[in-house]
Amino acid sequence: MTMTQRDTDALPSVRACVTALPEQLLSPPYEMRSEMNWIDFSGTANPLGTPPSFIRAMETALAAGELNYPPDREAHALRSVLARKFGLSVESFLVGSTVGDMVRAVAQTYQPCTVGVAVPGPVEYALAAGNAGHRVVEIASPAGFTVPDPAAAERHGIVFDAAVLANPGYPTSRLLPRPTLLAYLDACTWVVVDERSIELTLGGESMVALVNEHRNLVVVRSLCEPFAMPGIPISYCIAHPDTIAQITRFYDSSCVPMFAEVIGELALSETEHLERTRDFLDSEIPWLQCMLNLIPGIDIFPAEANYVMCTFDGGPDLALGVANTDELAQRLQLAGFLIRKLEGTPALEDSRYFCVAVRTREDNEKLVAALREIIAGC
């Protein structure tokens, strides 16, 4: 199925948007943030927060006047660290800002073709591919929310030349099986795998080890999710050096942030922070799923990452405090909690869907208590 193109009231010379944007949460202005006490369950960042060493390093850099200098657009320091971390050559990495920026860098490298985008998923995949001139089609699972292999997709009339996948997927919170990816690599000219949250999963297997053998594979990673700093977007592509060289020809690297140099070495040394996070999530992800599933009207989907996709249905036969997900989100916001409504997300046109992050046990208990009070009055 082709991604829906949204009509616009713009001038005739303006092309149609490749996909409609789902509702986005507005970030409060800087001067208001200190006055707000919302607990944010709408993101996907590390529930244990940013490592103190990162904060100290950035404070030191600012005090030393690093803002007076342009950033290293080739990110030599960070690429050197990443090479040691993954055991690959420096030429296997390209550094940029957001994950969407990296997907767009890959998409604009290749001749226009039909690109399959796994759905449900972030709209930035379709925008990146569509704005690079590709035709975009949805790769929807015929059953559940697992990504079908290319042969299964073709049997349902979904045909494509390249693909953008995720490991784990958002908001489905499902990991990408290695055999499924290998099937895509055999079938596609190029494949992008978004692994921004792979460190925050239940034993998720990264696909980075495949890049040298498969030159049509590009893995995109980020420092934002594992180190809880969405305000400083630093992401990077990992691929065969020849593939990175091709992508670099079309990428100007102007979006590389200064802090990529500052925290480069720390990204390698902060292994203890990530180990504590994994130990915490091994028990907290199942716990939160269980607690959410016990609340009337809420159904959950199995989660393998630090966020849980749910539906809420008040139903005519249930005497609940709210009737639908929109009302639930509004009541939660008034109570001091933000959740991610998924209405408008590709393949989730149903307004019942929402997603909540896994945070600390204290925060998670507060959310569960608020949901019980709002929905069931207990």
Coordinates of all heavy atoms in Angstrom, one line a residue, residues 162-240:
A162 N 14.2 -1.3 -1.9 CA 15.0 -1.0 -0.7 C 14.1 -1.0 0.5 O 12.9 -1.0 0.3 CB 15.7 0.3 -0.9
A163 N 14.7 -0.9 1.7 CA 13.9 -0.9 2.9 C 14.5 -0.1 4.0 O 15.7 0.0 4.1 CB 13.6 -2.4 3.3
V164 N 13.6 0.4 4.9 CA 14.0 1.1 6.1 C 13.3 0.3 7.2 O 12.1 0.3 7.3 CB 13.6 2.6 6.2 CG1 14.1 3.2 7.5 CG2 14.2 3.3 5.0
L165 N 14.1 -0.3 8.1 CA 13.6 -1.1 9.2 C 14.1 -0.6 10.5 O 14.9 0.4 10.6 CB 14.1 -2.6 9.0 CG 13.8 -3.2 7.6 CD1 14.5 -4.6 7.6 CD2 12.3 -3.3 7.3
A166 N 13.7 -1.2 11.6 CA 14.1 -0.8 12.9 C 14.3 -2.0 13.8 O 13.6 -3.0 13.7 CB 13.1 0.2 13.6
N167 N 15.3 -1.8 14.7 CA 15.6 -2.9 15.7 C 16.1 -2.2 17.0 O 17.2 -1.9 17.2 CB 16.8 -3.7 15.1 CG 17.2 -4.9 16.0 OD1 16.4 -5.5 16.6 ND2 18.5 -5.1 16.1
P168 N 15.1 -2.1 17.9 CA 13.7 -2.4 18.0 C 12.9 -1.4 17.2 O 13.3 -0.3 17.0 CB 13.4 -2.4 19.4 CG 14.2 -1.3 20.0 CD 15.5 -1.4 19.2
G169 N 11.6 -1.9 16.9 CA 10.7 -0.9 16.2 C 10.0 0.0 17.2 O 9.9 -0.4 18.4
Y170 N 9.7 1.2 16.8 CA 8.9 2.1 17.6 C 7.6 2.4 16.8 O 7.7 2.7 15.7 CB 9.7 3.4 17.9 CG 8.8 4.3 18.8 CD1 8.9 4.2 20.2 CD2 8.0 5.3 18.2 CE1 8.1 5.0 21.0 CE2 7.2 6.1 19.0 CZ 7.2 6.0 20.4 OH 6.5 6.8 21.2
P171 N 6.5 2.3 17.5 CA 6.2 2.1 18.9 C 6.0 0.6 19.3 O 5.6 0.3 20.4 CB 4.9 2.9 19.1 CG 4.2 2.7 17.8 CD 5.2 2.7 16.7
T172 N 6.2 -0.3 18.3 CA 5.8 -1.7 18.6 C 6.7 -2.4 19.6 O 6.3 -3.4 20.2 CB 5.9 -2.5 17.3 OG1 7.3 -2.5 16.8 CG2 5.0 -2.0 16.2
S173 N 7.9 -1.9 19.9 CA 8.8 -2.4 20.9 C 9.2 -3.9 20.6 O 9.4 -4.7 21.5 CB 8.2 -2.3 22.3 OG 9.2 -2.4 23.3
R174 N 9.3 -4.2 19.3 CA 9.6 -5.6 18.9 C 11.0 -5.5 18.2 O 11.3 -4.7 17.4 CB 8.6 -6.1 17.9 CG 7.2 -6.2 18.5 CD 7.1 -7.0 19.8 NE 7.5 -8.4 19.6 CZ 6.7 -9.4 19.3 NH1 5.4 -9.1 19.1 NH2 7.1 -10.6 19.2
L175 N 11.8 -6.5 18.5 CA 13.2 -6.7 18.0 C 13.1 -7.3 16.6 O 12.1 -8.0 16.2 CB 14.0 -7.5 18.8 CG 14.4 -6.9 20.2 CD1 15.0 -8.0 21.1 CD2 15.5 -5.8 20.0
L176 N 14.1 -7.0 15.7 CA 14.1 -7.5 14.4 C 14.9 -8.8 14.4 O 16.1 -8.8 14.7 CB 14.8 -6.4 13.5 CG 15.0 -6.8 12.0 CD1 13.6 -6.9 11.3 CD2 15.9 -5.8 11.3
P177 N 14.3 -9.9 14.0 CA 15.1 -11.1 13.9 C 16.2 -11.1 12.9 O 15.9 -10.6 11.8 CB 14.0 -12.2 13.6 CG 12.7 -11.5 13.9 CD 12.9 -10.1 13.7
R178 N 17.3 -11.7 13.2 CA 18.4 -11.7 12.2 C 18.1 -12.4 10.9 O 18.4 -11.8 9.8 CB 19.6 -12.4 12.9 CG 20.9 -12.3 12.1 CD 22.0 -13.2 12.8 NE 23.2 -13.2 12.1 CZ 24.3 -12.5 12.4 NH1 24.2 -11.6 13.4 NH2 25.4 -12.6 11.7
P179 N 17.4 -13.5 10.9 CA 17.0 -14.1 9.6 C 16.1 -13.2 8.8 O 16.2 -13.3 7.5 CB 16.3 -15.4 10.1 CG 16.8 -15.7 11.4 CD 17.0 -14.4 12.1
T180 N 15.3 -12.5 9.4 CA 14.4 -11.5 8.6 C 15.3 -10.5 7.9 O 15.1 -10.2 6.7 CB 13.4 -10.9 9.5 OG1 12.6 -11.9 10.2 CG2 12.5 -9.9 8.8
L181 N 16.2 -9.9 8.7 CA 17.1 -8.9 8.0 C 17.9 -9.5 6.9 O 18.1 -8.9 5.8 CB 18.0 -8.3 9.1 CG 19.1 -7.3 8.5 CD1 18.4 -6.2 7.8 CD2 20.0 -6.8 9.6
L182 N 18.4 -10.7 7.1 CA 19.2 -11.4 6.0 C 18.4 -11.6 4.8 O 18.9 -11.4 3.6 CB 19.7 -12.7 6.5 CG 20.8 -12.6 7.6 CD1 21.2 -14.0 8.1 CD2 22.1 -12.0 7.0
A183 N 17.1 -11.9 4.9 CA 16.2 -12.0 3.8 C 16.1 -10.7 3.1 O 16.0 -10.6 1.8 CB 14.8 -12.5 4.2
Y184 N 16.0 -9.6 3.8 CA 15.9 -8.2 3.2 C 17.2 -7.9 2.5 O 17.2 -7.3 1.4 CB 15.6 -7.2 4.3 CG 14.1 -7.0 4.6 CD1 13.5 -7.9 5.5 CD2 13.3 -6.1 3.9 CE1 12.1 -7.8 5.8 CE2 12.0 -6.0 4.2 CZ 11.4 -6.8 5.1 OH 10.0 -6.7 5.3
L185 N 18.3 -8.2 3.1 CA 19.6 -7.9 2.4 C 19.8 -8.7 1.1 O 20.4 -8.2 0.2 CB 20.7 -8.3 3.4 CG 20.8 -7.4 4.6 CD1 21.9 -7.9 5.6 CD2 21.2 -5.9 4.3
D186 N 19.2 -9.9 1.0 CA 19.2 -10.7 -0.2 C 18.3 -10.1 -1.3 O 18.6 -10.2 -2.4 CB 18.9 -12.1 0.1 CG 19.9 -12.9 0.8 OD1 21.1 -12.4 0.8 OD2 19.6 -13.9 1.4
A187 N 17.2 -9.5 -0.8 CA 16.2 -9.0 -1.7 C 16.3 -7.5 -2.1 O 15.7 -7.2 -3.2 CB 14.8 -9.2 -1.1
C188 N 17.0 -6.7 -1.4 CA 17.0 -5.3 -1.6 C 18.3 -4.7 -2.0 O 19.4 -5.2 -1.7 CB 16.6 -4.6 -0.3 SG 14.9 -4.9 0.3
T189 N 18.3 -3.6 -2.8 CA 19.5 -2.9 -3.2 C 20.2 -2.3 -2.0 O 21.4 -2.3 -1.9 CB 19.1 -1.8 -4.2 OG1 18.3 -2.3 -5.2 CG2 20.3 -1.0 -4.7
W190 N 19.4 -1.7 -1.1 CA 20.0 -1.2 0.2 C 18.9 -1.3 1.3 O 17.7 -1.2 1.1 CB 20.5 0.3 0.0 CG 19.5 1.3 -0.6 CD1 19.3 1.6 -1.9 CD2 18.6 2.1 0.2 NE1 18.3 2.5 -2.0 CE2 17.9 2.9 -0.8 CE3 18.3 2.3 1.5 CZ2 16.9 3.8 -0.4 CZ3 17.3 3.2 1.9 CH2 16.6 3.9 0.9
V191 N 19.5 -1.4 2.5 CA 18.6 -1.6 3.7 C 19.2 -0.7 4.8 O 20.4 -0.8 5.1 CB 18.5 -3.0 4.2 CG1 17.7 -3.1 5.4 CG2 18.0 -3.9 3.1
V192 N 18.4 0.1 5.4 CA 18.7 0.9 6.6 C 18.0 0.2 7.8 O 16.8 -0.1 7.8 CB 18.3 2.4 6.5 CG1 18.6 3.1 7.8 CG2 19.0 3.0 5.4
V193 N 18.8 0.0 8.9 CA 18.2 -0.5 10.2 C 18.5 0.5 11.3 O 19.6 0.9 11.6 CB 18.9 -1.8 10.6 CG1 18.3 -2.3 11.9 CG2 18.6 -2.9 9.5
D194 N 17.4 1.1 11.8 CA 17.5 2.0 12.9 C 17.7 1.3 14.2 O 16.8 0.6 14.7 CB 16.2 2.9 12.9 CG 16.1 3.8 14.1 OD1 17.1 3.9 14.9 OD2 15.1 4.5 14.3
E195 N 18.8 1.5 14.9 CA 19.1 0.8 16.2 C 19.3 1.8 17.3 O 20.1 1.6 18.2 CB 20.4 -0.1 16.0 CG 20.1 -1.4 15.3 CD 21.2 -2.4 15.5 OE1 22.3 -2.0 16.0 OE2 21.0 -3.6 15.1
R196 N 18.6 2.9 17.2 CA 18.8 3.9 18.2 C 18.6 3.5 19.7 O 19.1 4.0 20.6 CB 17.9 5.2 17.9 CG 16.5 5.0 18.2 CD 15.7 6.2 17.9 NE 15.2 6.2 16.5 CZ 14.5 7.2 15.9 NH1 14.2 8.2 16.6 NH2 14.2 7.1 14.7
S197 N 17.7 2.5 19.8 CA 17.3 2.0 21.2 C 17.8 0.6 21.5 O 17.4 0.0 22.4 CB 15.8 2.1 21.4 OG 15.3 3.4 21.3
I198 N 18.8 0.1 20.7 CA 19.1 -1.3 20.9 C 19.8 -1.6 22.3 O 19.6 -2.7 22.8 CB 20.1 -1.7 19.8 CG1 20.3 -3.3 19.8 CG2 21.4 -1.0 19.9 CD1 19.1 -4.1 19.4
E199 N 20.4 -0.6 22.9 CA 21.0 -0.8 24.2 C 20.0 -0.9 25.3 O 20.3 -1.2 26.4 CB 22.0 0.3 24.5 CG 23.3 0.2 23.7 CD 23.3 1.3 22.6 OE1 22.2 1.7 22.2 OE2 24.4 1.7 22.2
L200 N 18.7 -0.5 25.0 CA 17.6 -0.4 26.0 C 16.6 -1.5 25.7 O 15.4 -1.3 25.9 CB 17.0 1.0 25.9 CG 18.0 2.2 26.0 CD1 17.2 3.5 25.8 CD2 18.7 2.1 27.3
T201 N 17.1 -2.7 25.4 CA 16.2 -3.8 25.1 C 16.4 -5.0 26.0 O 17.4 -5.1 26.7 CB 16.3 -4.2 23.6 OG1 17.7 -4.7 23.4 CG2 16.0 -3.1 22.6
L202 N 15.5 -6.0 25.9 CA 15.7 -7.2 26.6 C 16.6 -8.2 25.8 O 16.1 -9.0 25.0 CB 14.3 -7.9 26.9 CG 13.4 -7.1 27.8 CD1 12.0 -7.8 27.8 CD2 14.0 -6.9 29.1
G203 N 17.9 -8.0 25.8 CA 18.8 -8.9 25.2 C 18.8 -8.7 23.6 O 19.1 -9.7 22.9
G204 N 18.5 -7.5 23.1 CA 18.5 -7.3 21.7 C 19.9 -7.5 21.0 O 20.9 -7.2 21.6
E205 N 19.9 -8.1 19.8 CA 21.1 -8.4 19.1 C 21.3 -7.3 18.0 O 20.4 -7.1 17.2 CB 21.0 -9.8 18.4 CG 22.2 -10.1 17.5 CD 22.0 -11.4 16.7 OE1 20.8 -11.9 16.6 OE2 23.0 -11.9 16.2
S206 N 22.4 -6.6 18.1 CA 22.7 -5.6 17.1 C 23.1 -6.3 15.8 O 23.6 -7.4 15.7 CB 23.8 -4.7 17.6 OG 24.2 -3.8 16.5
M207 N 22.8 -5.6 14.7 CA 23.1 -6.1 13.3 C 24.4 -5.5 12.8 O 24.8 -5.7 11.6 CB 22.0 -5.7 12.4 CG 20.6 -6.3 12.8 SD 20.6 -8.1 13.1 CE 19.0 -8.3 13.8
V208 N 25.2 -4.8 13.6 CA 26.4 -4.1 13.2 C 27.4 -5.1 12.6 O 28.1 -4.9 11.7 CB 27.0 -3.3 14.3 CG1 28.4 -2.8 13.9 CG2 26.2 -2.1 14.7
A209 N 27.4 -6.3 13.2 CA 28.4 -7.3 12.7 C 28.2 -7.7 11.3 O 29.1 -8.3 10.7 CB 28.3 -8.6 13.6
L210 N 27.1 -7.4 10.7 CA 26.8 -7.8 9.3 C 27.3 -6.8 8.3 O 27.3 -7.1 7.1 CB 25.3 -8.0 9.1 CG 24.7 -9.1 10.0 CD1 23.2 -9.1 9.7 CD2 25.2 -10.5 9.7
V211 N 27.8 -5.6 8.7 CA 28.0 -4.5 7.7 C 29.2 -4.8 6.8 O 29.2 -4.4 5.6 CB 28.2 -3.2 8.4 CG1 27.0 -2.7 9.1 CG2 29.4 -3.2 9.3
N212 N 30.2 -5.5 7.3 CA 31.4 -5.8 6.4 C 31.0 -6.8 5.3 O 31.6 -6.8 4.2 CB 32.6 -6.2 7.2 CG 33.4 -5.0 7.7 OD1 33.3 -3.9 7.1 ND2 34.2 -5.2 8.7
E213 N 30.2 -7.7 5.7 CA 29.8 -8.8 4.7 C 28.7 -8.3 3.8 O 28.7 -8.8 2.6 CB 29.3 -10.0 5.5 CG 28.9 -11.2 4.7 CD 28.5 -12.4 5.5 OE1 28.5 -12.3 6.7 OE2 28.0 -13.4 4.9
H214 N 27.9 -7.4 4.2 CA 26.8 -6.9 3.4 C 26.9 -5.4 3.1 O 26.6 -4.6 4.0 CB 25.4 -7.2 4.1 CG 25.2 -8.7 4.3 ND1 24.6 -9.5 3.4 CD2 25.5 -9.5 5.3 CE1 24.5 -10.7 3.8 NE2 25.1 -10.7 5.0
R215 N 27.4 -5.1 1.9 CA 27.7 -3.7 1.6 C 26.4 -2.9 1.4 O 26.4 -1.7 1.3 CB 28.6 -3.6 0.4 CG 29.9 -4.2 0.6 CD 30.9 -3.9 -0.5 NE 32.2 -4.5 -0.3 CZ 33.3 -4.1 -0.9 NH1 33.3 -3.1 -1.8 NH2 34.4 -4.8 -0.7
N216 N 25.3 -3.6 1.3 CA 24.0 -2.9 1.1 C 23.3 -2.6 2.5 O 22.1 -2.1 2.5 CB 23.1 -3.6 0.2 CG 22.8 -5.1 0.7 OD1 23.5 -5.6 1.5 ND2 21.6 -5.6 0.3
L217 N 24.0 -2.8 3.6 CA 23.4 -2.6 4.9 C 24.0 -1.3 5.5 O 25.2 -1.2 5.6 CB 23.7 -3.8 5.8 CG 23.3 -3.6 7.3 CD1 21.8 -3.4 7.5 CD2 23.8 -4.8 8.1
V218 N 23.1 -0.5 6.1 CA 23.6 0.7 6.9 C 22.8 0.6 8.2 O 21.6 0.6 8.2 CB 23.3 2.0 6.1 CG1 23.7 3.2 7.0 CG2 23.9 2.0 4.8
V219 N 23.5 0.5 9.3 CA 23.0 0.6 10.6 C 23.1 2.0 11.2 O 24.2 2.6 11.1 CB 23.6 -0.4 11.6 CG1 23.1 -0.3 13.0 CG2 23.5 -1.9 11.0
V220 N 22.0 2.5 11.7 CA 22.0 3.9 12.3 C 21.9 3.7 13.8 O 21.0 3.1 14.3 CB 20.9 4.7 11.7 CG1 20.8 6.1 12.4 CG2 21.0 4.9 10.2
R221 N 22.8 4.4 14.5 CA 22.8 4.4 15.9 C 22.7 5.8 16.4 O 23.0 6.7 15.7 CB 24.0 3.7 16.5 CG 24.2 2.2 16.1 CD 23.2 1.3 16.8 NE 23.7 1.1 18.2 CZ 24.4 0.0 18.6 NH1 24.8 -0.9 17.8 NH2 24.7 -0.1 19.9
S222 N 22.5 6.0 17.7 CA 22.4 7.3 18.3 C 22.9 7.3 19.7 O 22.9 6.3 20.4 CB 20.9 7.8 18.3 OG 20.7 9.0 19.0
L223 N 23.4 8.4 20.2 CA 23.8 8.6 21.6 C 22.6 9.1 22.4 O 22.7 9.2 23.7 CB 25.0 9.5 21.7 CG 26.3 9.1 21.0 CD1 27.4 10.1 21.3 CD2 26.7 7.7 21.3
C224 N 21.6 9.6 21.8 CA 20.5 10.3 22.5 C 19.7 9.3 23.4 O 19.5 9.7 24.6 CB 19.5 10.9 21.5 SG 20.3 12.1 20.4
E225 N 19.3 8.2 22.9 CA 18.5 7.3 23.7 C 19.3 6.6 24.8 O 18.9 6.6 26.0 CB 17.8 6.2 22.8 CG 16.5 6.7 22.2 CD 16.8 7.7 21.1 OE1 17.9 7.8 20.5 OE2 15.8 8.5 20.8
P226 N 20.4 5.9 24.5 CA 21.1 5.2 25.6 C 21.7 6.2 26.7 O 21.8 5.7 27.8 CB 22.3 4.5 24.8 CG 22.4 5.2 23.6 CD 21.1 5.7 23.2
F227 N 22.0 7.4 26.3 CA 22.5 8.3 27.3 C 21.6 9.5 27.7 O 22.0 10.5 28.3 CB 23.9 8.9 26.8 CG 24.9 7.8 26.6 CD1 25.4 7.5 25.4 CD2 25.4 7.1 27.7 CE1 26.4 6.5 25.2 CE2 26.3 6.1 27.6 CZ 26.8 5.8 26.3
A228 N 20.3 9.3 27.3 CA 19.3 10.2 27.7 C 19.6 11.7 27.5 O 19.6 12.5 28.4 CB 18.9 10.0 29.2
M229 N 19.8 12.1 26.2 CA 20.1 13.5 25.9 C 19.5 13.8 24.6 O 20.2 14.2 23.6 CB 21.6 13.8 25.9 CG 22.5 12.8 25.2 SD 24.2 13.2 25.4 CE 24.8 12.5 23.8
P230 N 18.1 13.8 24.5 CA 17.5 14.1 23.2 C 17.7 15.5 22.8 O 17.5 15.9 21.6 CB 16.0 13.8 23.5 CG 15.9 13.9 25.0 CD 17.2 13.4 25.5
G231 N 18.0 16.4 23.7 CA 18.3 17.8 23.4 C 19.6 18.0 22.7 O 19.8 19.1 22.2
I232 N 20.4 17.0 22.6 CA 21.7 17.1 21.9 C 21.8 15.9 20.9 O 22.4 14.9 21.2 CB 22.9 17.1 22.9 CG1 22.8 18.2 23.9 CG2 24.2 17.3 22.1 CD1 23.8 18.2 25.0
P233 N 21.1 16.1 19.8 CA 21.1 14.9 18.8 C 22.4 14.6 18.2 O 23.0 15.5 17.5 CB 20.1 15.4 17.8 CG 20.1 16.9 17.8 CD 20.4 17.2 19.3
I234 N 22.9 13.4 18.5 CA 24.2 12.9 17.9 C 23.9 11.5 17.4 O 23.6 10.6 18.2 CB 25.3 12.9 18.9 CG1 25.6 14.3 19.4 CG2 26.6 12.4 18.2 CD1 26.6 14.4 20.5
S235 N 23.9 11.3 16.1 CA 23.6 9.9 15.6 C 24.7 9.6 14.5 O 25.5 10.5 14.1 CB 22.3 9.9 14.9 OG 21.2 10.2 15.8
Y236 N 24.8 8.4 14.1 CA 25.8 8.0 13.2 C 25.4 6.8 12.4 O 24.6 5.9 12.8 CB 27.2 7.7 13.9 CG 27.1 6.8 15.1 CD1 27.4 5.4 14.9 CD2 26.7 7.2 16.4 CE1 27.3 4.5 16.0 CE2 26.7 6.3 17.4 CZ 27.0 5.0 17.2 OH 26.9 4.1 18.3
C237 N 26.0 6.7 11.2 CA 25.8 5.5 10.3 C 27.0 4.6 10.5 O 28.1 5.0 10.6 CB 25.7 5.9 8.8 SG 24.2 6.9 8.4
I238 N 26.7 3.3 10.4 CA 27.8 2.2 10.4 C 27.5 1.4 9.2 O 26.4 0.9 8.9 CB 27.7 1.3 11.7 CG1 27.6 2.2 12.9 CG2 28.9 0.4 11.7 CD1 27.4 1.3 14.2
A239 N 28.6 1.3 8.3 CA 28.4 0.5 7.1 C 29.8 0.1 6.6 O 30.8 0.5 7.2 CB 27.7 1.3 6.0
H240 N 29.9 -0.6 5.6 CA 31.1 -1.0 4.9 C 31.8 0.4 4.5 O 31.1 1.3 4.1 CB 30.9 -1.9 3.7 CG 32.1 -2.4 3.1 ND1 32.9 -1.6 2.2 CD2 32.8 -3.6 3.2 CE1 34.0 -2.3 1.8 NE2 33.9 -3.5 2.4

